[in-house]
Amino acid sequence: MPTDDPERDDEPSSSKSETQAPNPPENLPAAVAETLRTLSEQRLREAVIYGQELLQARQGPAPHIEPKPGEEFIRVEDREGYTQVVKRTPCGNDCEDCPHGPYVYHVTEEETPSGERRTRWALIGRAEE
């Protein structure tokens, strides 16, 4: 029996594709928004990764970076689009093996949607010794 309740949806949802898509950002070109809407989940993930890589390439190396207490910087190199940092870092457990590593990080300075700048550390993996 139909109801006049606008909050109730009597139609079962059969798939994620039937859910309402979010509204794109105001300044995003309509053609880009429409293209993104039509992508499969896999292609959309690839587009997000590509967008992140573009942002990283545009941001450039991080400003001067200093180690935190207990960290040991082994190497700091400015690269195209990021600063590569190889460091040893403490685990916080006061173990005999501290500091651990070395680990490779790619460090960038990014602008947040609010316009603030922040330093972003991306762990790449264990460094060859």
Side-chain angles (χ1 to χ4, degrees):
M1 177 167 154
T3 115
D4 294 326
D5 184 358
E7 296 296 316
R8 184 172 169 191
D9 183 3
D10 288 332
E11 293 293 321
S13 179
S14 60
S15 74
K16 286 195 268 183
S17 63
E18 292 180 11
T19 62
Q20 186 175 356
N23 292 325
E26 207 174 278
N27 296 326
L28 187 69
V32 173
E34 185 56 34
T35 298
L36 291 172
R37 259 190 224 104
T38 64
L39 296 176
S40 69
E41 287 183 25
Q42 178 61 33
R43 294 289 181 245
L44 187 56
R45 283 186 183 92
E46 291 169 355
V48 168
I49 291 168
Y50 175 63
Q52 290 171 332
E53 289 172 349
L54 284 174
L55 280 172
Q56 183 176 346
R58 291 180 183 178
Q59 297 303 323
H64 183 70
I65 303 168
E66 292 290 331
K68 293 179 182 174
E71 290 182 338
E72 174 190 351
F73 283 6
I74 296 169
R75 191 170 55 253
V76 177
E77 298 176 20
D78 283 338
R79 302 275 180 96
E80 187 175 337
Y82 62 94
T83 299
Q84 181 169 291
V85 177
V86 178
K87 69 176 182 171
R88 293 183 187 281
T89 187
C91 67
N93 297 330
D94 295 324
C95 69
E96 293 179 15
D97 295 330
C98 274
H100 299 279
Y103 299 105
V104 178
Y105 293 84
H106 287 180
V107 186
T108 57
E109 185 177 71
E110 299 177 345
E111 186 172 327
T112 66
S114 66
E116 297 177 65
R117 308 278 311 161
R118 71 176 186 131
T119 302
R120 181 169 186 243
W121 289 73
L123 173 63
I124 303 304
R126 191 163 183 80
E128 298 291 326
E129 290 194 65

